[in-house]
Amino acid sequence: MAIDAELLLDRRALRRKLSFWRVVGIGALIVAVGTVGWRASGARGPFPAITPQIARISIDGFITGSEKTRELMKRVGDSSAVSGVIVSINSPGGTTTGSEELFRNLRQLAEKKPVVAFVDGTAASGAYITALAADHIVARETSLVGSIGVLFQYPDLSGLLDKVGVRVEEVKSSPLKAEPSGFHPTSPEARAALQAIVGDTYGWFKNLVAERRKMSPTELGAVSDGRVFSGRQSVTLKLVDETGGERTAVEWLERERKVAKDLPVRDWKPRGDRSFDLFSAASLLGLDGVAGRLRRTTEEAAGLAQGGLLALWRPGAAPTTP
């Protein structure tokens, strides 16, 4: 009987332990599901979906069209917790179509929330188009702003092909079909056709600057020759509204758009933007600079492979004016 009593006590103790660990397991599962849920929402911080906040959207690297970014803008605009938006920019630009899409998405967001752009490094070419979508532009004094212009680049491999004895034959429906081609020098007619496209897009870019920044033809002419300017220069040239840091951008939202004071600034990211890759591995090894350069080079290569016009600033590249 003594043995049976001890066995009964052991079983009761075991049940209590199992019950305890079941409760712990269920609690951990609830926490995990909640964590996945708020991360999937695209924001970071405790209870970002319900906590009043200012949303931070970061635009960096090579700009291309992105459905994820469009969806992110919509979620931010529809969130009742977001009182204002800071678009933090550090980019040399990208494709003209991607920059145009980003501009239009931000303008749609600005119809729902006050938007301020903060140039945290570089806002050149297509990235400056992004900044133009904001209601107010703040830049660091030493940031780089501008590079208003359009670029179309393609290789001419004809000399190399001649040296190795390779010739590419073509049968075309018309002389300008599939031009320009890297297999032969560009004809004057093809170059003129490309120049017309570049000039038309360049005109669209300049008109956008003049409209959004309220510039006269003289003021526009002084800033639209493809150069970049410092943040300090950009204030005088009307490319940006004031110099300062992110706090300056927050203060503008509080002062001019009546956003509540001292709200936390939360990062919002596109869904599915947390994959582990080569760049993440480099960052974990403490090679943040290398990871950033690798990411920018890969994104730019992917964008160039798509072809088309570029609104991109690259030191040493061909001039960006038509």
Side-chain angles (χ1 to χ4, degrees), residues 42-45 47-58 76-77 79-88 109 113-118 246-255 257-269:
R44 294 179 179 178
F47 310 111
I50 59 175
T51 304
Q53 63 190 263
I54 295 172
R56 181 194 294 117
I57 298 175
S58 297
V76 173
S79 173
S80 60
V82 174
S83 300
V85 180
I86 294 176
V87 182
S88 181
L109 174 58
K113 310 286 183 181
V115 176
V116 57
F118 168 49
E246 186 177 75
R247 183 61 214 171
T248 307
V250 172
E251 290 172 351
W252 181 85
L253 288 172
E254 294 173 345
R255 182 179 66 252
R257 292 296 186 267
K258 310 306 178 187
V259 171
K261 291 184 179 295
D262 301 323
L263 290 181
V265 179
R266 305 291 190 198
D267 280 314
W268 284 67
K269 300 287 185 182

Side-chain angles (χ1 to χ4, degrees), residues 30 65 96 110 135 143 159 200 230-231 249 259 288 298 302:
I30 292 173
T96 53
D135 304 318
S143 61
D200 182 70
S230 71
V259 171
D288 291 330
T298 302

Side-chain angles (χ1 to χ4, degrees), residues 21-33:
W21 286 113
R22 284 195 188 101
V23 172
V24 171
I26 292 172
L29 180 61
I30 292 173
V31 172
V33 170

Side-chain angles (χ1 to χ4, degrees), residues 153-162 180-186 191:
Q153 286 184 323
Y154 54 93
D156 181 0
L157 304 176
S158 57
L160 175 62
L161 294 177
D162 288 341
S181 170
F183 301 134
H184 56 74
T186 306
R191 186 175 296 276

Side-chain angles (χ1 to χ4, degrees), residues 63-77:
I63 295 174
T64 59
S66 171
E67 179 63 22
K68 289 182 179 179
T69 303
R70 186 203 66 78
E71 192 270 341
L72 169 64
M73 305 289 181
K74 185 177 185 305
R75 285 191 289 115
V76 173

Side-chain angles (χ1 to χ4, degrees), residues 3-320:
I3 295 177
D4 291 341
E6 290 178 1
L7 182 59
L8 183 59
L9 291 174
D10 288 341
R11 286 181 177 176
R12 288 177 177 174
L14 181 59
R15 286 196 189 97
R16 285 195 294 268
K17 289 180 180 179
L18 288 174
S19 298
F20 170 77
W21 286 113
R22 284 195 188 101
V23 172
V24 171
I26 292 172
L29 180 61
I30 292 173
V31 172
V33 170
T35 301
V36 170
W38 70 254
R39 286 189 174 180
S41 71
R44 294 179 179 178
F47 310 111
I50 59 175
T51 304
Q53 63 190 263
I54 295 172
R56 181 194 294 117
I57 298 175
S58 297
I59 305 297
D60 51 25
F62 190 85
I63 295 174
T64 59
S66 171
E67 179 63 22
K68 289 182 179 179
T69 303
R70 186 203 66 78
E71 192 270 341
L72 169 64
M73 305 289 181
K74 185 177 185 305
R75 285 191 289 115
V76 173
D78 292 343
S79 173
S80 60
V82 174
S83 300
V85 180
I86 294 176
V87 182
S88 181
I89 304 171
N90 185 17
S91 166
T95 66
T96 53
T97 53
S99 303
E100 178 190 357
E101 179 185 355
L102 184 53
F103 171 84
R104 298 194 186 284
N105 289 337
L106 280 170
R107 286 310 303 154
Q108 290 177 1
L109 174 58
E111 293 175 359
K112 301 178 180 179
K113 310 286 183 181
V115 176
V116 57
F118 168 49
V119 183
D120 190 15
T122 301
S125 288
Y128 185 63
I129 293 175
T130 301
L132 289 173
D135 304 318
H136 190 76
I137 305 176
V138 177
R140 295 194 186 277
E141 294 188 29
T142 55
S143 61
L144 296 176
V145 180
S147 187
I148 297 169
V150 181
L151 175 68
F152 192 102
Q153 286 184 323
Y154 54 93
D156 181 0
L157 304 176
S158 57
L160 175 62
L161 294 177
D162 288 341
K163 289 180 180 179
V164 298
V166 176
R167 187 173 64 183
V168 177
E169 297 287 351
E170 294 179 327
V171 178
K172 302 196 295 185
S173 58
S174 59
L176 294 181
K177 178 64 178 175
E179 291 290 344
S181 170
F183 301 134
H184 56 74
T186 306
S187 68
E189 294 79 11
R191 186 175 296 276
L194 292 172
Q195 188 68 64
I197 296 172
V198 169
D200 182 70
T201 307
Y202 179 51
W204 170 82
F205 194 167
K206 290 196 297 181
N207 288 337
L208 192 64
V209 175
E211 176 187 348
R212 296 293 299 164
R213 300 304 302 169
K214 309 254 184 320
M215 288 187 182
S216 68
T218 301
E219 292 170 330
L220 180 63
V223 298
S224 58
D225 61 358
R227 288 181 290 170
V228 291
F229 303 92
S230 71
R232 285 161 53 89
Q233 293 173 314
S234 297
V235 174
T236 303
L237 295 169
K238 296 175 64 174
L239 290 171
V240 306
D241 295 293
E242 60 179 321
T243 58
E246 186 177 75
R247 183 61 214 171
T248 307
V250 172
E251 290 172 351
W252 181 85
L253 288 172
E254 294 173 345
R255 182 179 66 252
E256 302 296 333
R257 292 296 186 267
K258 310 306 178 187
V259 171
K261 291 184 179 295
D262 301 323
L263 290 181
V265 179
R266 305 291 190 198
D267 280 314
W268 284 67
K269 300 287 185 182
R271 285 194 173 111
D273 196 31
R274 296 179 177 82
S275 58
F276 185 84
D277 50 23
L278 175 63
F279 316 120
S280 304
S283 296
L284 286 177
L285 293 174
L287 304 174
D288 291 330
V290 174
R293 286 192 294 272
L294 281 172
R295 187 181 297 276
R296 286 191 295 271
T297 301
T298 302
E299 290 172 344
E300 183 171 335
L304 293 174
Q306 297 176 6
L309 293 176
L310 301 176
L312 177 68
W313 177 71
R314 285 184 305 201
T320 58

